[in-house]
Amino acid sequence: MGAVLLGFFVSVIVSLFYSGLILLTWKDQTVAVANTLYLGHALINGAIVGALVGAVGHRNGGAWACGAVVAALGALFGYTNGSMLIFAVEESPVALMHLLEYEPFFAFKGWWNDEANGGMDWFSPLGLVLAAAAAWGIARLIGDKRRPA
């Protein structure tokens, strides 16, 4: 349990850094740069969570699986929180509050939909899979090498 909680707290911190980076650079980003940053964030988040879960959780398969879920959620919420920060800074926090009262899943729809091409954005689920696979794989790699205390 401690391994998953530690992974969760670190995932929140990594996601906050990513959200801040998006907030600071969103005007200068192309679609390719935004997708690369998102997939890079998912990979980094998964790698860090996996390393912590593997080091603390040792050979516990449940901890590895929970770490994968935590990393995927960190990738998702890093993106959605970044889009909400952009809206709050560009409009106002009150406008964000009204938007979320009217459309509570606005950030998730923006994560999933590709408005430019009128369809689904395939990079979004790819980031979740990448984060989960990195977390599980690194947790297993590190956890198998360590002996339980």
Side-chain angles (χ1 to χ4, degrees):
M1 184 67 170
V4 176
L5 283 175
L6 180 63
F8 171 75
F9 290 130
V10 171
S11 179
V12 167
I13 292 169
V14 171
S15 295
L16 287 174
F17 279 126
Y18 172 72
S19 296
L21 177 67
I22 294 302
L23 177 63
L24 294 174
T25 63
W26 73 275
K27 289 182 182 178
D28 300 324
Q29 290 181 6
T30 63
V31 173
V33 170
N35 288 337
T36 303
L37 284 174
Y38 171 66
L39 294 178
H41 163 252
L43 184 62
I44 291 169
N45 198 338
I48 291 173
V49 169
L52 289 171
V53 168
V56 177
H58 304 294
R59 294 183 181 180
N60 186 343
W64 300 345
C66 289
V69 170
V70 164
L73 288 174
L76 170 69
F77 284 109
Y79 181 90
T80 56
N81 289 341
S83 64
M84 292 293 95
L85 283 173
I86 290 169
F87 189 86
V89 168
E90 291 299 311
E91 297 297 323
S92 74
V94 174
L96 177 62
M97 185 178 66
H98 291 302
L99 172 69
L100 292 177
E101 285 176 2
Y102 176 72
E103 186 65 49
F105 297 108
F106 172 77
F108 297 105
K109 288 180 182 178
W111 172 81
W112 184 260
N113 293 330
D114 181 12
E115 296 297 328
N117 298 321
M120 187 177 98
D121 184 8
W122 288 101
F123 279 97
S124 300
L126 178 63
L128 298 184
V129 171
L130 187 64
W136 187 83
I138 292 174
R140 181 179 175 139
L141 183 71
I142 292 174
D144 278 343
K145 288 184 179 180
R146 296 184 50 104
R147 286 190 252 172

